[in-house]
Amino acid sequence: MPVSQSVLYAFLLTIFAGISTGIGSFIAIFAHRTNTRFLSFSLGLSAGVMLYVSFVELLSEGRSELSGALGNHPGGWATIGAFLGGMILAAVIDKLVPSYENPHELRSVEAIGHHGRCGRQHAELKKKKLLRTGVYTAFVIAIHNFPEGIATFTAAYSDLSLGIAIALAIALHNIPEGIAVAVPIYFATGNKRKALWFSLFSGFAEPLGALLAYAILMPFLNNIILGVMFCAVAGIMVFIALDELLPASREYGEPHLSVYGLIGGIAIMAVSLLLL
């Protein structure tokens, strides 16, 4: 595949993953009530996709790149270090973000709307404060999405099938994040268009991350950098799946739905990667 075509496909996949926050905003704006069974299954599905891609594809690709550049034994240690480093990075980011504004502390549309009416101190929040919460959440999600854009672009440029798998996993993960942005802004302003635009803005950080990767990292991209990025992204995705998506999926619906979604996500990724 020519280089220019590889870059184009990598950008398109990153844009697809980023604008999936818009799907979440549509759900939040146009659904009077959240379909908790569907949400539970979808979150489990997203977790299954992330876990399969991380353990079967990303770690394998990362170790192959690192072992080829550093040797088998040093490459194995570098794989473990980058994988654990990715999980630690994800944990630190989550720790630094306040729990309510954290887009990974998932809630239903009703819960977010109720919070906007009642507030933390059992009093009604003013619309200005609720709007600030929504805008702040959009910026927080943008910060989360920026490195995801770098990872998606880099993976897709190196291996299109792997890039498709990562883009799909991140897209599924971005849908509830879009809900987290759109609901407080919509409750505060009553403006569907504004809620949608802020949600999309938070997702556009992923294509910006891709642009950064293309402009800065591409000239220096080698097997070591690529391998470290694959393993670190695997760690980040495993942390998100185990710490956020699976607990949330069990909270929103029947526990079995979460497991069915998890198995479904693994099966979809296993089959699709063989067909790609």
Side-chain angles (χ1 to χ4, degrees):
M1 183 185 295
V3 172
S4 59
Q5 197 172 355
S6 299
V7 171
L8 176 62
Y9 285 147
F11 271 121
L12 289 176
L13 284 173
T14 309
I15 292 170
F16 160 72
I19 64 174
S20 296
T21 53
I23 299 174
S25 68
F26 273 110
I27 294 173
I29 292 169
F30 295 103
H32 294 290
R33 291 191 61 82
T34 306
N35 185 335
T36 54
R37 289 173 61 85
F38 173 75
L39 187 58
S40 176
F41 182 84
S42 299
L43 291 171
L45 186 80
S46 179
V49 167
M50 285 192 169
L51 289 174
Y52 187 88
V53 169
S54 297
F55 285 119
V56 176
E57 292 291 321
L58 283 171
L59 273 179
S60 175
E61 288 279 344
R63 175 154 192 177
S64 176
E65 297 285 352
L66 290 170
S67 296
L70 302 175
N72 191 44
H73 192 65
W77 280 107
T79 298
I80 295 172
F83 178 66
L84 294 176
M87 286 195 285
I88 292 170
L89 176 62
V92 169
I93 291 174
D94 264 17
K95 192 71 175 176
L96 293 176
V97 177
S99 61
Y100 183 74
E101 285 82 359
N102 190 340
H104 294 149
E105 301 294 335
L106 302 174
R107 299 167 297 281
S108 66
V109 170
E110 293 78 20
I112 300 173
H114 182 265
H115 181 93
R117 290 189 296 272
C118 297
R120 298 176 188 170
Q121 299 176 353
H122 309 290
E124 287 194 13
L125 288 172
K126 295 180 180 180
K127 288 185 177 181
K128 184 177 179 180
K129 183 176 180 181
L130 190 58
L131 178 62
R132 187 180 68 217
T133 298
V135 172
Y136 178 77
T137 303
F139 278 101
V140 169
I141 290 177
I143 293 170
H144 278 81
N145 286 348
F146 194 77
E148 291 177 356
I150 296 175
T152 304
F153 176 84
T154 306
Y157 179 79
S158 173
D159 183 339
L160 183 59
S161 63
L162 183 60
I164 291 173
I166 294 175
L168 178 60
I170 292 176
L172 289 169
H173 169 58
N174 281 350
I175 292 174
E177 291 187 347
I179 295 175
V181 174
V183 168
I185 292 176
Y186 179 53
F187 270 80
T189 66
N191 190 322
K192 295 179 180 179
R193 183 174 297 179
K194 182 175 290 188
L196 175 61
W197 276 114
F198 269 95
S199 179
L200 287 173
F201 159 79
S202 66
F204 281 141
E206 295 205 12
L208 287 178
L211 283 172
L212 176 69
Y214 180 70
I216 297 177
L217 295 180
M218 289 297 291
F220 307 101
L221 197 62
N222 55 36
N223 290 347
I224 295 176
I225 293 176
L226 201 59
V228 168
M229 288 191 66
F230 283 164
C231 295
V233 171
I236 291 171
M237 292 174 71
V238 167
F239 181 88
I240 291 172
L242 298 180
D243 182 67
E244 297 150 8
L245 296 179
L246 281 177
S249 67
R250 295 180 70 85
E251 178 183 343
Y252 280 119
E254 300 172 11
H256 289 303
L257 281 177
S258 172
V259 177
Y260 297 154
L262 175 71
I263 295 171
I266 291 173
I268 289 171
M269 274 297 96
V271 173
S272 63
L273 286 170
L274 287 175
L275 295 176
L276 288 174

